[in-house]
Amino acid sequence: MKQYKVVGIGNAIVDVLTRAEDSFLGDMNIEKGIMQLVERDRAETLYDAMTDRVEAPGGSVANTLAGLGNLGLPTAFIGRVRDDALGRGYATAMEDGGTAFVNAPVVEGELPTSRCMIFVSPDGERSMNTYLGISAELGPDDVTESVASEAEIVFLEGYLFDKPKGKDAFYKCARTARAAGGKAGIAISDPFCVERHREDFLALIEHEMDYVIGNEAEIRSLYQNDDLEADLQAVGKICPLVVCTRSGDGISILHEGTRIDIPVTKITPVDATGAGDQFAAGFLYGMATGRDMETCGRMGAVAAAEVIGHMGPRPETDLGGLFAQAGLV
């Protein structure tokens, strides 16, 4: 038995959420429905424009680990925060949620702890504006081999591919885990991130990954076309397990050449923030506990449905109880 069921590596970002009308997004030149990287001065402008802020520890993979912690699995997070109020609060919140925060806050870092300003539209769509701060400086020196080797499953956050050091950290973490008998996989994270690093993404998926999770826009972005079916087949040829979420159209899974399609019930979201992150939590929980692929997908759908029913990217309900109600455990 390894110490951790899942070890995640990704951006340690404090989420700052508020509701906003579409007209406000236009006035502030915020592109709706995507994640945009912003510089420090832009981050301060957007933060000052927010009302009724809700602050919570976030970051895509960190949110997934919070979902796994809700389900009682032992997890660890490899991330980087400054030794400031936000950073110390972030580390404490992760630990309180059951996830080991294995890297101590950096005392002498020049950049502050990262934060993401999230504007939630009336239709539940979220527009994210991320100042990466110190999190973007994560590199291979932050990957402790003793942690990576103790992971049954490693989960990587595609956003970190925006800097060479992040790529190096991914390779070190994935290779260490796989050499010790674990599995490694990646959340594609964002189609614009793929466009910046397409060749690296495809090489990583083909040569280093045991699984890949993405939504249909992210999967399509790997091959620069609008033929999702062809793209799924193409990714399936280079990776043993491909998981594609298709919003209200369900989930498509390709596992070692076998196609599984899972329907979902369409839900009008209160806040779509964290939907993909919690889908990953449910799916990885299924993997880590030996479920078949269809059950893994259905667990992911239940976890995603829970999180879009309220503000914030992390579950507020006992996911294990929801799985039981759905007949999955």
Side-chain angles (χ1 to χ4, degrees):
M1 292 289 292
K2 292 183 179 291
Q3 184 175 358
Y4 305 111
K5 284 289 187 180
V6 180
V7 170
I9 176 170
N11 284 304
I13 298 174
V14 177
D15 284 336
V16 187
L17 298 97
T18 192
R19 295 190 178 278
E21 298 293 331
D22 288 351
S23 58
F24 174 87
L25 301 182
D27 292 342
M28 298 297 293
N29 295 316
I30 297 169
E31 190 165 351
K32 183 177 178 178
I34 68 166
M35 192 284 289
Q36 298 183 90
L37 298 177
V38 298
E39 298 299 327
R40 190 170 181 171
D41 57 348
R42 170 71 167 165
E44 291 173 350
T45 297
L46 293 177
Y47 184 86
D48 290 342
M50 302 177 90
T51 57
D52 299 320
R53 306 180 191 99
V54 176
E55 297 184 3
S60 178
V61 164
N63 289 337
T64 296
L65 293 174
L68 290 166
N70 178 283
L71 288 159
L73 291 191
T75 58
F77 179 59
I78 298 170
R80 189 174 177 87
V81 298
R82 175 79 180 270
D83 187 16
D84 53 22
L86 283 177
R88 291 189 295 272
Y90 189 101
T92 299
M94 291 295 291
E95 292 279 352
D96 290 346
T99 294
F101 193 84
V102 297
N103 298 330
V106 178
V107 175
E108 298 179 355
E110 294 182 3
L111 297 174
T113 295
S114 309
R115 69 285 313 267
C116 179
M117 280 62 66
I118 303 173
F119 297 88
V120 183
S121 305
D123 60 2
E125 190 61 80
R126 80 277 195 215
S127 306
M128 299 179 290
N129 299 264
T130 303
Y131 170 61
L132 291 176
I134 197 171
S135 182
E137 298 301 311
L138 187 142
D141 291 344
D142 296 302
V143 178
T144 305
E145 293 193 12
S146 60
V147 173
S149 64
E150 281 295 313
E152 291 187 15
I153 299 171
V154 163
F155 191 41
L156 311 175
E157 180 180 313
Y159 287 130
L160 271 182
F161 256 50
D162 275 310
K163 286 203 174 181
K165 288 197 297 185
K167 298 176 187 179
D168 293 340
F170 274 14
Y171 279 106
K172 180 178 179 180
C173 189
R175 290 171 179 172
T176 301
R178 296 179 89 199
K183 292 185 176 182
I186 190 168
I188 297 177
S189 295
D190 186 271
F192 293 95
C193 192
V194 173
E195 289 176 10
R196 292 191 291 270
H197 310 285
R198 184 172 288 107
E199 290 185 6
D200 286 343
F201 260 110
L202 288 171
L204 182 80
I205 291 168
E206 181 172 6
H207 301 297
E208 309 286 346
M209 298 290 98
D210 299 294
Y211 66 94
V212 58
I213 300 175
N215 62 34
E216 54 186 316
E218 293 159 0
I219 296 292
R220 286 200 310 268
S221 68
L222 289 170
Y223 296 98
Q224 296 178 282
N225 62 51
D226 291 323
D227 190 342
L228 178 63
E229 292 303 318
D231 294 342
L232 284 171
Q233 294 301 320
V235 186
K237 290 178 180 178
I238 63 172
C239 187
L241 174 58
V242 182
V243 185
C244 178
T245 58
R246 306 172 69 173
S247 189
D249 294 327
I251 302 150
S252 295
I253 300 170
L254 273 71
H255 181 225
E256 297 178 347
T258 300
R259 172 73 173 260
I260 302 164
D261 289 302
I262 303 168
V264 298
T265 302
K266 291 186 178 182
I267 300 172
T268 300
V270 172
D271 170 20
T273 310
D277 305 336
Q278 295 313 319
F279 172 84
F283 191 90
L284 293 177
Y285 176 81
M287 281 182 58
T289 55
R291 266 61 176 195
D292 61 80
M293 287 294 104
E294 180 173 356
T295 301
C296 291
R298 292 177 63 196
M299 286 178 165
V302 169
E306 189 280 338
V307 81
I308 67 174
H310 58 77
M311 286 284 287
R314 299 187 174 190
E316 295 180 350
T317 306
D318 173 23
L319 295 178
L322 297 178
F323 292 168
Q325 290 176 25
L328 300 176
V329 295

